[in-house]
Amino acid sequence: MNKNRVQEWKAFVEQVRKGRSLVHHITNNVTMNFLANGVLAAGGSPMMVHDAIEVEDAVAVSDALVLNIGTLEVATAKSMVLAFKKAMHSGVPVVLDPVGVGLSKFRQETVKELLSEYSELKGVSPRTILTICGNAAEMKFLAGLSWEGRGVDGDLDFAEGGLIELAVTAAKRTGCIIVMTGETDVVTDGETVIELSHGHPMLSLVTGTGCFATSMVALYQANQKAGSTTNLSFLERAALAILMLTKAAEEAVQTAKGPGSFQQNLLDELYALETTESIWQGNIHWKEQQSLKEIR
Ligand SMILES: Nc1ncnc2c1ncn2[C@@H]1O[C@H](COP(=O)(O)OP(=O)(O)OP(=O)(O)O)[C@@H](O)[C@H]1O
Ligand SMILES: Cc1ncsc1CCO
């Protein structure tokens, strides 16, 4: 077990939980309230600002930006592009949730525009990081394969090895960090793969837990206040975000009667979860160049 690593992770999680990082969201109107309360419970400060007239001003004061296309509208798609460009030029990390991307040409074109803006900025400094957080159906589309999602949901069955290959292909094709959620979560930049198997199936019975995973990643990748730096990579920070969410879910389910109380408990656990030894025990695997080694 790598104790130093765990100490660094723990210190960073504590930093995030006290940091009140400002996470600007342009997101869907189904889960917006859940995301705002979740970000607050996890130690951040949420801000939902959508209108094109003010999104650039909002990005200018933000520590991270979430773009979620769940209930995409023509006006918000325009806002997203404006906010994205402003974020990229002002060093604000962006996390995109391509909800139901294969559903319509409109969603596909919007995501394509953001990705092509991102790739055009390659080599331009400063250019911050773009992470994409979504389920296997959405990643399948981004990997250049056919869309098999149903509505905005993505119930896809993949063999273990297939999942990793899918996430790696999506990362290589988009040039982004990929966080692929599901029973097993896969976090990869196309080279390194971090696999996490925590959480509970109850997470699928509350709408927006995937959207919230995206918000958590943004909170953990957010710019840190002066004097609160970290050596952790964006990849590791994304994995920590998922770890905290899924570990909180494991606690939340203990006393839940069903999805309603589970959702409430989840907020309480995100707020209270102790970063003791048990958090770091279990199924976190780190793979590099085909070799599997556990980082704890
Ligand atoms: N069967 C499962 N067992 C454990 N954890 C799960 C399971 N399914 C999903 N999760 C967890 O639930 C969270 C949401 O992932 P999921 O893939 O369900 O998102 P999604 O389909 O995009 O959701 P939504 O569209 O409702 O926001 C992730 O943190 C993931 O780890
Ligand atoms: C149900 C639903 N429809 C559009 S967005 C959303 C929330 C889960 O992504």
Side-chain angles (χ1 to χ4, degrees):
M1 168 162 151
N2 185 340
K3 289 240 187 243
N4 287 341
R5 205 95 202 126
V6 168
Q7 283 316 315
E8 261 184 82
W9 290 345
K10 194 172 160 160
F12 182 65
V13 168
E14 293 309 335
Q15 187 173 305
V16 169
R17 295 173 98 183
K18 285 196 237 113
R20 290 278 156 239
S21 296
L22 186 55
V23 186
H24 174 198
H25 290 66
I26 304 179
T27 189
N28 72 69
N29 48 34
V30 179
T31 65
M32 204 172 338
N33 181 271
F34 176 40
L35 304 191
N37 281 318
V39 167
L40 275 171
S45 184
M47 173 168 68
M48 279 57 181
V49 172
H50 286 186
D51 200 295
I53 202 159
E54 59 174 359
V55 285
E56 288 162 301
D57 293 333
V59 170
V61 296
S62 297
D63 300 310
L65 171 67
V66 166
L67 302 176
N68 176 312
I69 66 166
T71 53
L72 195 63
E73 291 173 14
V74 173
T76 36
K78 286 192 182 129
S79 297
M80 283 184 191
V81 175
L82 284 176
F84 181 75
K85 285 186 189 165
K86 176 75 180 177
M88 284 294 135
H89 289 293
S90 40
V92 175
V94 183
V95 189
L96 169 68
D97 192 333
V99 181
V101 59
L103 178 72
S104 67
K105 203 158 169 60
F106 175 41
R107 282 171 201 248
Q108 292 168 27
E109 294 298 327
T110 303
V111 168
K112 218 160 105 189
E113 186 172 356
L114 293 170
L115 289 177
S116 92
E117 289 286 347
Y118 188 59
S119 102
E120 269 172 37
L121 287 168
K122 209 171 191 168
V124 173
S125 177
R127 182 187 84 152
T128 44
I129 201 82
L130 173 60
T131 298
I132 306 179
C133 181
N135 58 39
E138 288 148 4
M139 293 310 163
K140 199 167 170 224
F141 185 83
L142 294 176
L145 304 168
S146 61
W147 170 249
E148 286 178 39
R150 211 167 55 84
V152 294
D153 281 333
D155 291 327
L156 275 190
D157 279 333
F158 268 90
E160 174 83 356
L163 273 180
I164 290 178
E165 206 183 304
L166 176 62
V168 167
T169 308
K172 287 192 168 151
R173 199 160 179 268
T174 58
C176 298
I177 290 179
I178 295 291
V179 178
M180 187 169 74
T181 57
E183 188 175 348
T184 295
D185 300 294
V186 183
V187 182
T188 182
D189 57 4
E191 301 290 333
T192 300
V193 177
I194 307 174
E195 224 186 328
L196 305 101
S197 307
H198 290 290
H200 192 277
M202 187 75 85
L203 280 161
S204 306
L205 293 181
V206 175
T207 187
T209 53
C211 305
F212 182 55
T214 303
S215 299
M216 282 291 284
V217 170
L219 176 64
Y220 274 71
Q221 290 186 337
N223 290 331
Q224 301 297 293
K225 301 221 161 17
S228 312
T229 49
T230 177
N231 291 324
L232 299 186
S233 66
F234 281 105
L235 195 73
E236 241 171 322
R237 287 158 71 172
L240 282 180
I242 297 299
L243 181 72
M244 291 304 285
L245 166 59
T246 50
K247 283 285 187 177
E250 286 174 6
E251 294 300 319
V253 84
Q254 304 295 332
T255 50
K257 288 195 214 130
S261 46
F262 172 71
Q263 187 182 23
Q264 247 186 340
N265 291 354
L266 185 60
L267 294 184
D268 292 345
E269 292 299 339
L270 278 163
Y271 174 74
L273 197 64
E274 289 188 27
T275 50
T276 49
E277 278 302 287
S278 66
I279 292 277
W280 316 108
Q281 281 162 5
N283 296 322
I284 313 170
H285 299 286
W286 182 295
K287 295 176 183 188
E288 240 159 326
Q289 291 156 358
Q290 308 305 316
S291 68
L292 172 73
K293 62 181 183 290
E294 286 192 32
I295 45 175
R296 46 153 276 105

